[in-house]
Coordinates of all heavy atoms in Angstrom, one line a residue:
M1286 N 78.0 111.1 98.0 CA 79.1 111.9 98.2 C 80.3 111.4 97.3 O 81.0 112.2 96.7 CB 79.5 111.9 99.7 CG 80.7 112.7 100.0 SD 80.4 114.4 99.8 CE 81.9 115.1 100.5
K1287 N 80.5 110.1 97.3 CA 81.6 109.5 96.5 C 81.4 109.8 95.0 O 82.3 110.1 94.3 CB 81.7 108.0 96.8 CG 82.3 107.7 98.1 CD 82.4 106.2 98.3 CE 83.0 105.8 99.6 NZ 83.1 104.4 99.8
K1288 N 80.1 109.7 94.6 CA 79.8 109.9 93.2 C 80.1 111.3 92.8 O 80.7 111.5 91.7 CB 78.3 109.6 93.0 CG 77.9 109.6 91.5 CD 76.5 109.1 91.4 CE 76.0 109.0 89.9 NZ 74.7 108.6 89.8
I1289 N 79.8 112.3 93.6 CA 80.1 113.7 93.3 C 81.6 113.9 93.2 O 82.1 114.6 92.3 CB 79.5 114.6 94.4 CG1 78.0 114.6 94.2 CG2 80.0 116.1 94.2 CD1 77.2 115.3 95.4
L1290 N 82.4 113.3 94.1 CA 83.8 113.4 94.1 C 84.4 112.8 92.9 O 85.3 113.4 92.2 CB 84.4 112.7 95.4 CG 85.9 112.7 95.5 CD1 86.4 114.1 95.6 CD2 86.3 111.9 96.7
L1291 N 83.9 111.6 92.5 CA 84.4 111.0 91.3 C 84.1 111.8 90.0 O 84.9 111.9 89.1 CB 83.8 109.6 91.1 CG 84.3 108.5 92.1 CD1 83.5 107.2 92.0 CD2 85.8 108.3 91.9
I1292 N 82.9 112.4 90.0 CA 82.6 113.2 88.8 C 83.5 114.4 88.8 O 84.0 114.8 87.7 CB 81.1 113.7 88.9 CG1 80.2 112.5 88.7 CG2 80.8 114.8 87.9 CD1 78.7 112.7 88.9
G1293 N 83.7 115.0 89.9 CA 84.7 116.2 90.0 C 86.0 115.8 89.6 O 86.7 116.6 88.8
L1294 N 86.5 114.6 90.0 CA 87.9 114.2 89.5 C 87.9 113.9 88.0 O 88.9 114.2 87.4 CB 88.2 112.9 90.3 CG 88.6 113.1 91.8 CD1 88.8 111.8 92.5 CD2 89.8 114.0 91.9
A1295 N 86.8 113.4 87.5 CA 86.7 113.1 86.1 C 86.8 114.4 85.3 O 87.5 114.5 84.3 CB 85.5 112.3 85.7
V1296 N 86.1 115.4 85.8 CA 86.1 116.7 85.1 C 87.5 117.3 85.2 O 88.0 117.9 84.2 CB 85.1 117.7 85.7 CG1 85.2 119.1 85.2 CG2 83.7 117.2 85.4
L1297 N 88.1 117.2 86.3 CA 89.5 117.7 86.5 C 90.5 117.0 85.5 O 91.3 117.6 84.9 CB 90.0 117.5 87.9 CG 90.1 118.8 88.7 CD1 90.2 118.4 90.2 CD2 91.2 119.7 88.3
A1298 N 90.3 115.7 85.4 CA 91.2 114.9 84.5 C 91.0 115.3 83.1 O 92.0 115.4 82.3 CB 90.9 113.4 84.7
M1299 N 89.8 115.6 82.7 CA 89.5 116.0 81.3 C 90.1 117.3 81.0 O 90.5 117.6 79.9 CB 88.0 116.0 81.0 CG 87.4 114.5 81.0 SD 85.7 114.4 80.9 CE 85.3 115.3 79.4
A1300 N 90.2 118.2 82.0 CA 90.8 119.5 81.8 C 92.2 119.5 82.2 O 92.8 120.6 82.4 CB 90.0 120.5 82.6
G1301 N 92.8 118.4 82.2 CA 94.1 118.1 82.8 C 95.3 118.9 82.2 O 96.3 119.2 82.9
G1302 N 95.2 119.4 81.0 CA 96.3 120.2 80.4 C 96.8 121.3 81.3 O 97.9 121.4 81.7
G1303 N 95.8 122.2 81.7 CA 96.2 123.3 82.5 C 96.5 123.0 83.9 O 97.5 123.5 84.5
V1304 N 95.8 122.0 84.5 CA 96.1 121.5 85.8 C 97.5 120.9 85.9 O 98.2 121.2 86.8 CB 95.0 120.6 86.3 CG1 95.4 120.0 87.7 CG2 93.7 121.3 86.4
A1305 N 97.8 120.0 84.9 CA 99.1 119.4 85.0 C 100.2 120.4 84.8 O 101.2 120.3 85.5 CB 99.1 118.3 83.8
F1306 N 100.0 121.4 84.0 CA 101.0 122.4 83.8 C 101.3 123.2 85.1 O 102.4 123.5 85.4 CB 100.6 123.4 82.7 CG 101.7 124.4 82.4 CD1 102.9 124.0 81.7 CD2 101.6 125.7 82.8 CE1 103.9 124.9 81.5 CE2 102.5 126.6 82.6 CZ 103.7 126.2 81.9
A1307 N 100.2 123.4 85.8 CA 100.3 124.2 87.0 C 101.1 123.4 88.1 O 101.7 124.0 89.0 CB 98.9 124.5 87.6
V1308 N 101.2 122.1 88.0 CA 101.9 121.4 89.0 C 103.2 120.8 88.5 O 103.8 119.9 89.1 CB 101.0 120.2 89.6 CG1 99.8 120.7 90.4 CG2 100.6 119.2 88.5
G1309 N 103.7 121.4 87.4 CA 105.1 121.0 87.0 C 105.2 120.3 85.7 O 105.8 119.3 85.6
G1310 N 104.6 120.9 84.7 CA 104.7 120.3 83.3 C 103.5 119.5 82.9 O 102.6 119.4 83.7
T1311 N 103.6 119.0 81.7 CA 102.5 118.2 81.2 C 102.5 116.8 81.7 O 103.6 116.3 82.2 CB 102.4 118.2 79.7 OG1 103.6 117.5 79.2 CG2 102.4 119.6 79.1
A1312 N 101.4 116.1 81.6 CA 101.4 114.7 82.0 C 102.4 113.9 81.1 O 103.0 113.0 81.6 CB 100.0 114.1 81.8
Q1313 N 102.5 114.3 79.8 CA 103.5 113.6 78.9 C 104.9 113.8 79.4 O 105.7 112.8 79.4 CB 103.3 114.1 77.5 CG 102.0 113.6 76.8 CD 101.9 114.2 75.5 OE1 102.3 115.3 75.2 NE2 101.2 113.5 74.6
D1314 N 105.2 115.0 79.9 CA 106.6 115.2 80.4 C 106.9 114.4 81.6 O 107.9 113.8 81.7 CB 106.7 116.7 80.8 CG 106.7 117.7 79.6 OD1 107.0 117.2 78.5 OD2 106.5 118.9 79.8
R1315 N 105.9 114.3 82.5 CA 106.1 113.5 83.7 C 106.2 112.0 83.4 O 107.0 111.2 83.9 CB 105.0 113.7 84.7 CG 105.1 115.1 85.4 CD 104.2 115.2 86.6 NE 102.8 114.9 86.3 CZ 102.0 115.7 85.7 NH1 102.4 117.0 85.4 NH2 100.7 115.4 85.5
A1316 N 105.4 111.5 82.4 CA 105.4 110.1 82.0 C 106.8 109.8 81.3 O 107.4 108.7 81.6 CB 104.3 109.8 81.1
A1317 N 107.3 110.7 80.5 CA 108.6 110.5 79.9 C 109.7 110.4 80.9 O 110.6 109.6 80.8 CB 108.8 111.6 78.8
T1318 N 109.7 111.3 81.9 CA 110.7 111.3 82.9 C 110.6 110.0 83.7 O 111.6 109.4 84.0 CB 110.5 112.5 83.9 OG1 110.6 113.7 83.1 CG2 111.5 112.5 85.0
A1319 N 109.4 109.6 84.1 CA 109.3 108.3 84.8 C 109.7 107.1 84.0 O 110.4 106.3 84.6 CB 107.8 108.1 85.3
A1320 N 109.4 107.1 82.8 CA 109.8 106.0 81.9 C 111.4 105.9 81.8 O 112.0 104.9 81.8 CB 109.2 106.1 80.6
S1321 N 112.0 107.1 81.6 CA 113.4 107.1 81.4 C 114.2 106.7 82.7 O 115.3 106.3 82.7 CB 113.9 108.5 80.9 OG 113.7 109.4 82.0
A1322 N 113.5 106.8 83.8 CA 114.1 106.5 85.1 C 114.0 105.0 85.4 O 114.5 104.5 86.4 CB 113.5 107.3 86.2
Q1323 N 113.4 104.2 84.6 CA 113.2 102.8 84.8 C 114.3 102.0 84.2 O 114.9 102.3 83.2 CB 111.8 102.3 84.2 CG 110.6 103.0 84.8 CD 110.3 102.5 86.2 OE1 110.1 101.4 86.4 NE2 110.3 103.4 87.1
T1324 N 114.6 100.9 84.9 CA 115.6 99.9 84.4 C 115.0 98.6 84.3 O 114.1 98.2 85.1 CB 116.8 99.8 85.5 OG1 117.4 101.1 85.5 CG2 117.8 98.8 85.1
Q1325 N 115.4 97.8 83.4 CA 114.9 96.4 83.2 C 116.1 95.4 83.4 O 117.2 95.6 82.9 CB 114.3 96.2 81.9 CG 113.0 96.9 81.7 CD 112.3 96.4 80.4 OE1 112.9 96.0 79.5 NE2 111.0 96.6 80.4
T1326 N 115.8 94.3 84.1 CA 116.8 93.3 84.3 C 116.1 91.9 84.1 O 115.0 91.7 84.6 CB 117.4 93.4 85.7 OG1 118.0 94.6 85.9 CG2 118.4 92.3 86.0
T1327 N 116.8 91.0 83.5 CA 116.3 89.7 83.3 C 117.0 88.8 84.3 O 118.2 88.9 84.6 CB 116.6 89.2 81.9 OG1 115.9 90.0 80.9 CG2 116.1 87.7 81.7
F1328 N 116.2 87.9 84.9 CA 116.7 87.0 85.9 C 116.6 85.5 85.5 O 115.5 85.2 84.9 CB 116.0 87.2 87.2 CG 116.1 88.6 87.8 CD1 115.2 89.6 87.4 CD2 117.1 88.9 88.8 CE1 115.3 90.8 88.0 CE2 117.2 90.1 89.3 CZ 116.3 91.1 88.9
A1329 N 117.5 84.7 85.8 CA 117.4 83.2 85.6 C 116.8 82.8 86.9 O 117.3 83.1 88.0 CB 118.7 82.6 85.4
I1330 N 115.7 82.0 86.8 CA 115.0 81.5 88.0 C 115.1 80.0 88.1 O 114.9 79.3 87.2 CB 113.5 81.9 87.9 CG1 113.3 83.3 87.6 CG2 112.8 81.5 89.2 CD1 113.8 84.3 88.7
Q1331 N 115.5 79.5 89.3 CA 115.6 78.1 89.6 C 114.3 77.6 90.3 O 113.6 78.4 90.9 CB 116.8 77.8 90.4 CG 118.1 78.1 89.8 CD 119.3 77.9 90.7 OE1 119.2 77.4 91.8 NE2 120.5 78.3 90.3
N1332 N 114.2 76.3 90.3 CA 113.1 75.6 91.0 C 111.7 75.8 90.5 O 110.7 75.4 91.2 CB 113.1 75.9 92.5 CG 114.4 75.5 93.2 OD1 115.2 74.8 92.7 ND2 114.6 76.0 94.4
M1333 N 111.5 76.4 89.4 CA 110.1 76.5 88.8 C 109.8 75.2 88.1 O 110.4 74.8 87.1 CB 110.0 77.7 87.8 CG 110.1 79.0 88.5 SD 109.4 80.3 87.5 CE 110.4 80.3 86.0
T1334 N 108.9 74.4 88.8 CA 108.6 73.1 88.2 C 107.2 72.9 87.8 O 106.8 71.9 87.2 CB 108.9 72.0 89.3 OG1 108.1 72.3 90.5 CG2 110.3 72.0 89.7
C1335 N 106.3 73.9 88.1 CA 104.9 73.8 87.6 C 104.4 75.1 87.2 O 105.0 76.2 87.4 CB 104.0 73.2 88.8 SG 103.8 74.4 90.1
A1336 N 103.2 75.1 86.6 CA 102.7 76.4 86.0 C 102.3 77.4 87.0 O 102.2 78.6 86.7 CB 101.4 76.0 85.2
T1337 N 102.2 77.1 88.3 CA 101.8 78.1 89.3 C 103.1 78.7 89.9 O 103.0 79.7 90.6 CB 100.9 77.5 90.4 OG1 101.6 76.4 91.0 CG2 99.6 77.0 89.8
C1338 N 104.2 78.1 89.7 CA 105.5 78.7 90.3 C 105.7 80.2 89.8 O 106.1 81.0 90.6 CB 106.7 77.8 89.9 SG 106.7 76.2 90.7
P1339 N 105.5 80.5 88.6 CA 105.7 81.9 88.1 C 104.9 82.9 88.9 O 105.3 84.0 89.0 CB 105.4 81.8 86.6 CG 105.6 80.4 86.2 CD 105.2 79.6 87.4
I1340 N 103.7 82.5 89.4 CA 102.8 83.4 90.1 C 103.5 83.8 91.4 O 103.5 85.0 91.8 CB 101.5 82.7 90.4 CG1 100.7 82.4 89.1 CG2 100.6 83.6 91.4 CD1 99.5 81.5 89.3
T1341 N 104.1 82.8 92.1 CA 104.9 83.1 93.3 C 106.1 84.0 93.1 O 106.3 85.0 93.8 CB 105.3 81.8 94.0 OG1 104.1 81.0 94.2 CG2 106.0 82.1 95.3
V1342 N 106.8 83.7 92.0 CA 108.0 84.6 91.7 C 107.5 86.0 91.4 O 108.1 87.0 91.9 CB 108.7 84.0 90.5 CG1 109.8 84.9 90.0 CG2 109.3 82.6 90.8
K1343 N 106.5 86.1 90.6 CA 106.0 87.4 90.2 C 105.6 88.2 91.4 O 105.9 89.4 91.6 CB 104.8 87.3 89.2 CG 104.2 88.6 88.7 CD 103.1 88.3 87.7 CE 102.3 89.5 87.3 NZ 103.0 90.4 86.3
K1344 N 104.8 87.6 92.3 CA 104.3 88.3 93.5 C 105.5 88.7 94.4 O 105.5 89.8 94.9 CB 103.3 87.5 94.3 CG 102.0 87.4 93.6 CD 101.0 86.6 94.5 CE 99.6 86.5 93.8 NZ 98.7 85.8 94.6
A1345 N 106.5 87.8 94.5 CA 107.6 88.2 95.4 C 108.4 89.3 94.8 O 108.8 90.3 95.6 CB 108.5 86.9 95.5
M1346 N 108.6 89.3 93.5 CA 109.4 90.4 92.9 C 108.6 91.7 92.9 O 109.2 92.8 93.2 CB 109.8 90.1 91.5 CG 110.9 89.0 91.4 SD 111.4 88.7 89.7 CE 112.9 87.8 90.0
E1347 N 107.3 91.7 92.6 CA 106.5 92.9 92.6 C 106.3 93.4 94.0 O 106.0 94.6 94.2 CB 105.1 92.6 92.1 CG 105.1 92.4 90.6 CD 103.7 92.0 90.0 OE1 102.8 91.5 90.8 OE2 103.5 92.3 88.8
G1348 N 106.6 92.6 95.1 CA 106.5 93.1 96.4 C 107.7 94.0 96.8 O 107.6 94.6 97.9
V1349 N 108.7 94.1 96.0 CA 109.8 95.0 96.3 C 109.5 96.4 95.9 O 109.0 96.7 94.8 CB 111.1 94.5 95.5 CG1 112.2 95.5 95.7 CG2 111.5 93.1 95.9
A1350 N 109.7 97.3 96.9 CA 109.4 98.7 96.6 C 110.2 99.2 95.5 O 111.4 99.0 95.4 CB 109.7 99.6 97.9
G1351 N 109.6 99.9 94.5 CA 110.3 100.4 93.3 C 110.1 99.6 92.1 O 110.4 100.0 91.0
V1352 N 109.6 98.3 92.3 CA 109.4 97.5 91.1 C 108.0 97.8 90.5 O 107.0 97.8 91.2 CB 109.4 96.0 91.5 CG1 109.0 95.1 90.3 CG2 110.8 95.6 92.0
S1353 N 108.0 98.1 89.2 CA 106.7 98.5 88.6 C 106.1 97.4 87.7 O 104.9 97.5 87.5 CB 106.9 99.8 87.7 OG 107.9 99.6 86.8
A1354 N 106.9 96.5 87.3 CA 106.3 95.4 86.5 C 107.2 94.2 86.5 O 108.5 94.3 86.6 CB 106.2 95.9 85.0
V1355 N 106.6 93.0 86.4 CA 107.4 91.8 86.4 C 106.7 90.8 85.4 O 105.5 90.7 85.5 CB 107.5 91.1 87.8 CG1 108.2 89.7 87.6 CG2 108.2 92.0 88.8
S1356 N 107.4 90.2 84.5 CA 106.9 89.2 83.7 C 107.7 87.9 83.9 O 109.0 88.0 83.9 CB 106.8 89.6 82.2 OG 108.1 89.8 81.7
V1357 N 107.1 86.8 84.0 CA 107.8 85.5 84.2 C 107.5 84.6 83.1 O 106.3 84.4 82.7 CB 107.4 84.9 85.6 CG1 108.2 83.6 85.9 CG2 107.6 85.9 86.7
D1358 N 108.5 83.9 82.6 CA 108.4 83.0 81.5 C 108.7 81.6 82.0 O 109.9 81.3 82.2 CB 109.3 83.4 80.3 CG 109.1 82.5 79.1 OD1 108.8 81.3 79.2 OD2 109.2 83.0 78.0
F1359 N 107.7 80.8 82.2 CA 108.0 79.4 82.7 C 108.8 78.6 81.8 O 109.7 77.8 82.2 CB 106.6 78.7 83.0 CG 106.8 77.3 83.5 CD1 107.2 77.1 84.8 CD2 106.4 76.3 82.7 CE1 107.4 75.8 85.2 CE2 106.5 74.9 83.1 CZ 107.0 74.7 84.4
G1360 N 108.6 78.7 80.5 CA 109.3 77.9 79.5 C 110.8 78.2 79.5 O 111.6 77.2 79.4
T1361 N 111.2 79.4 79.7 CA 112.7 79.7 79.7 C 113.2 79.9 81.1 O 114.4 80.1 81.2 CB 112.9 81.0 78.9 OG1 112.3 82.1 79.5 CG2 112.5 80.9 77.4
K1362 N 112.4 79.8 82.1 CA 112.7 79.9 83.5 C 113.4 81.2 83.8 O 114.5 81.3 84.4 CB 113.7 78.7 83.9 CG 113.2 77.4 83.6 CD 112.0 76.9 84.5 CE 111.8 75.4 84.4 NZ 110.5 75.1 83.7
T1363 N 112.8 82.3 83.2 CA 113.3 83.6 83.4 C 112.2 84.6 83.9 O 111.0 84.3 83.7 CB 114.0 84.2 82.1 OG1 112.9 84.3 81.1 CG2 115.1 83.4 81.6
A1364 N 112.7 85.7 84.4 CA 111.8 86.8 84.8 C 112.4 88.1 84.4 O 113.6 88.2 84.4 CB 111.5 86.8 86.3
R1365 N 111.6 89.0 84.0 CA 112.1 90.3 83.6 C 111.4 91.3 84.5 O 110.1 91.4 84.5 CB 111.8 90.6 82.1 CG 112.3 91.9 81.6 CD 112.7 91.8 80.2 NE 113.3 93.0 79.6 CZ 114.6 93.2 79.6 NH1 115.4 92.3 80.2 NH2 115.1 94.3 79.1
A1366 N 112.1 92.1 85.2 CA 111.6 93.1 86.1 C 111.9 94.5 85.6 O 113.0 94.8 85.2 CB 112.2 92.9 87.5
T1367 N 110.9 95.4 85.7 CA 111.1 96.8 85.4 C 111.0 97.5 86.8 O 110.1 97.3 87.5 CB 110.0 97.3 84.5 OG1 110.0 96.5 83.3 CG2 110.2 98.8 84.2
Y1368 N 112.0 98.4 87.1 CA 112.1 99.0 88.4 C 112.8 100.4 88.3 O 113.5 100.7 87.4 CB 112.8 98.1 89.4 CG 114.2 97.7 89.0 CD1 115.3 98.4 89.5 CD2 114.4 96.6 88.1 CE1 116.6 98.0 89.1 CE2 115.7 96.2 87.8 CZ 116.8 96.9 88.3 OH 118.1 96.6 87.9
D1369 N 112.6 101.1 89.4 CA 113.3 102.4 89.6 C 114.6 102.2 90.3 O 114.6 101.8 91.5 CB 112.4 103.3 90.4 CG 112.9 104.7 90.6 OD1 114.1 104.9 90.4 OD2 112.2 105.6 91.0
P1370 N 115.7 102.4 89.6 CA 117.0 102.1 90.2 C 117.4 103.0 91.4 O 118.3 102.7 92.1 CB 118.0 102.2 89.1 CG 117.3 103.2 88.1 CD 115.9 102.8 88.2
R1371 N 116.6 104.1 91.5 CA 116.8 105.0 92.7 C 116.2 104.4 94.0 O 116.5 104.8 95.1 CB 116.2 106.3 92.4 CG 116.9 107.1 91.3 CD 116.1 108.3 90.8 NE 114.8 107.8 90.3 CZ 113.9 108.6 89.9 NH1 114.1 109.9 89.8 NH2 112.8 108.1 89.4
R1372 N 115.3 103.4 93.8 CA 114.6 102.8 94.9 C 115.0 101.4 95.2 O 114.8 100.9 96.4 CB 113.1 102.8 94.7 CG 112.6 104.3 94.5 CD 111.1 104.4 94.4 NE 110.4 103.9 95.6 CZ 109.2 103.4 95.6 NH1 108.5 103.4 94.5 NH2 108.6 103.0 96.7
T1373 N 115.5 100.6 94.2 CA 115.9 99.2 94.5 C 116.9 98.8 93.4 O 117.3 99.6 92.6 CB 114.7 98.3 94.4 OG1 115.1 97.0 94.9 CG2 114.1 98.2 93.0
N1374 N 117.4 97.6 93.5 CA 118.4 97.1 92.5 C 118.1 95.6 92.3 O 117.3 95.0 92.9 CB 119.8 97.4 93.0 CG 120.1 96.7 94.3 OD1 119.9 95.5 94.5 ND2 120.5 97.5 95.3
A1375 N 118.9 95.1 91.3 CA 118.7 93.7 90.9 C 119.0 92.7 92.0 O 118.3 91.7 92.1 CB 119.6 93.4 89.7
T1376 N 119.9 93.0 92.9 CA 120.3 92.2 94.0 C 119.1 92.0 95.0 O 118.8 90.9 95.4 CB 121.5 92.7 94.8 OG1 122.6 92.8 93.8 CG2 121.9 91.8 95.9
V1377 N 118.4 93.1 95.3 CA 117.3 93.0 96.2 C 116.1 92.3 95.5 O 115.4 91.5 96.2 CB 116.8 94.5 96.6 CG1 115.5 94.5 97.4 CG2 117.9 95.2 97.3
I1378 N 115.9 92.5 94.2 CA 114.8 91.8 93.5 C 115.1 90.3 93.5 O 114.2 89.5 93.7 CB 114.6 92.4 92.1 CG1 114.2 93.9 92.3 CG2 113.5 91.6 91.4 CD1 114.3 94.6 91.0
A1379 N 116.3 89.9 93.2 CA 116.7 88.5 93.1 C 116.5 87.9 94.5 O 116.0 86.7 94.6 CB 118.1 88.3 92.7
A1380 N 116.9 88.6 95.6 CA 116.7 88.1 96.9 C 115.3 87.8 97.3 O 114.9 86.9 98.0 CB 117.3 89.1 97.9
A1381 N 114.4 88.7 96.8 CA 112.9 88.5 97.1 C 112.5 87.1 96.5 O 111.7 86.4 97.1 CB 112.1 89.6 96.5
S1382 N 112.9 86.8 95.3 CA 112.5 85.6 94.6 C 113.2 84.4 95.4 O 112.5 83.4 95.6 CB 112.9 85.6 93.2 OG 112.6 84.3 92.5
T1383 N 114.4 84.6 95.7 CA 115.2 83.5 96.4 C 114.5 83.2 97.8 O 114.3 82.1 98.2 CB 116.6 83.9 96.6 OG1 117.2 84.1 95.3 CG2 117.4 82.9 97.4
N1384 N 114.1 84.3 98.5 CA 113.4 84.1 99.8 C 112.1 83.4 99.6 O 111.6 82.8 100.6 CB 113.2 85.5 100.5 CG 114.6 86.0 100.9 OD1 115.6 85.3 101.1 ND2 114.6 87.3 101.1
A1385 N 111.5 83.5 98.4 CA 110.2 82.8 98.2 C 110.4 81.4 97.8 O 109.4 80.7 97.5 CB 109.4 83.6 97.1
G1386 N 111.6 80.9 97.7 CA 111.9 79.5 97.3 C 112.4 79.3 95.9 O 112.5 78.2 95.4
Y1387 N 112.6 80.4 95.2 CA 113.0 80.3 93.8 C 114.2 81.2 93.6 O 114.2 82.4 93.2 CB 111.8 80.8 92.9 CG 110.6 80.0 93.1 CD1 109.6 80.4 94.0 CD2 110.4 78.8 92.4 CE1 108.5 79.6 94.2 CE2 109.3 78.1 92.6 CZ 108.3 78.5 93.5 OH 107.2 77.7 93.7
P1388 N 115.4 80.6 93.8 CA 116.7 81.3 93.6 C 116.8 82.0 92.3 O 116.5 81.4 91.2 CB 117.7 80.2 93.8 CG 117.1 79.1 94.6 CD 115.6 79.2 94.2
A1389 N 117.2 83.2 92.3 CA 117.2 84.0 91.1 C 118.6 84.7 91.0 O 119.2 85.1 92.0 CB 116.1 85.1 91.1
R1390 N 119.1 84.9 89.8 CA 120.3 85.7 89.6 C 120.1 86.5 88.3 O 119.5 86.0 87.3 CB 121.5 84.8 89.5 CG 121.6 83.9 88.3 CD 122.9 83.1 88.2 NE 122.8 82.1 87.1 CZ 122.9 82.4 85.8 NH1 123.1 83.6 85.4 NH2 122.8 81.4 84.9
A1391 N 120.6 87.7 88.3 CA 120.5 88.6 87.2 C 121.4 88.1 86.1 O 122.5 87.6 86.3 CB 121.0 90.0 87.6
V1392 N 120.9 88.0 84.8 CA 121.6 87.6 83.7 C 122.0 88.7 82.8 O 122.8 88.5 81.9 CB 120.9 86.4 82.9 CG1 120.9 85.2 83.8 CG2 119.5 86.8 82.5
N1393 N 121.4 89.9 82.9 CA 121.8 91.1 82.2 C 121.2 92.3 82.9 O 120.3 92.2 83.7 CB 121.3 91.0 80.7 CG 119.8 91.3 80.5 OD1 119.1 91.5 81.5 ND2 119.4 91.3 79.3
N1394 N 121.7 93.4 82.6 CA 121.2 94.7 83.1 C 121.0 95.7 82.0 O 121.5 95.7 81.1 CB 122.2 95.3 84.2 CG 122.2 94.5 85.4 OD1 121.2 94.0 85.8 ND2 123.3 94.4 86.1

């Protein structure tokens, strides 16, 4: 049953031009709209003392609703978060890292 459903979804995805148009534009239009709605902020992170610390920071920040990507640089003690500003903001993302034991502050928007 699952195999049939997956095959059906694959066929639908391959024919996606007409289906996507029927639900409100092309996939490219929706992707462009979603990308333009994203904001990136760089954070200075304190207390990162070992190579596993960035994992905790990344998980904490990614746990915030609206955050779509986080990259953490141990060498510069910074993190860069990509997020939907309609769903969250830099203060909330910084608080998530701080609550995990790694105080964070936005250094640019």
Side-chain angles (χ1 to χ4, degrees):
M1286 179 70 174
K1287 287 182 183 180
K1288 189 174 184 179
I1289 292 171
L1290 180 60
L1291 289 174
I1292 292 170
L1294 288 173
V1296 169
L1297 251 166
M1299 291 173 58
V1304 173
F1306 183 75
V1308 295
T1311 66
Q1313 288 176 330
D1314 292 340
R1315 287 192 306 280
T1318 300
S1321 68
Q1323 298 288 300
T1324 297
Q1325 289 189 337
T1326 300
T1327 300
F1328 299 87
I1330 310 293
Q1331 297 176 5
N1332 297 347
M1333 288 200 301
T1334 58
C1335 70
T1337 60
C1338 293
I1340 297 168
T1341 303
V1342 172
K1343 180 177 172 78
K1344 286 183 179 183
M1346 289 182 165
E1347 286 178 336
V1349 175
V1352 173
S1353 58
V1355 175
S1356 61
V1357 182
D1358 186 327
F1359 178 70
T1361 62
K1362 308 287 193 251
T1363 60
R1365 185 150 182 89
T1367 303
Y1368 59 94
D1369 182 344
R1371 297 169 295 181
R1372 298 183 63 202
T1373 193
N1374 59 57
T1376 302
V1377 173
I1378 298 167
S1382 180
T1383 299
N1384 291 340
Y1387 300 91
R1390 68 175 172 77
V1392 292
N1393 77 359
N1394 287 328

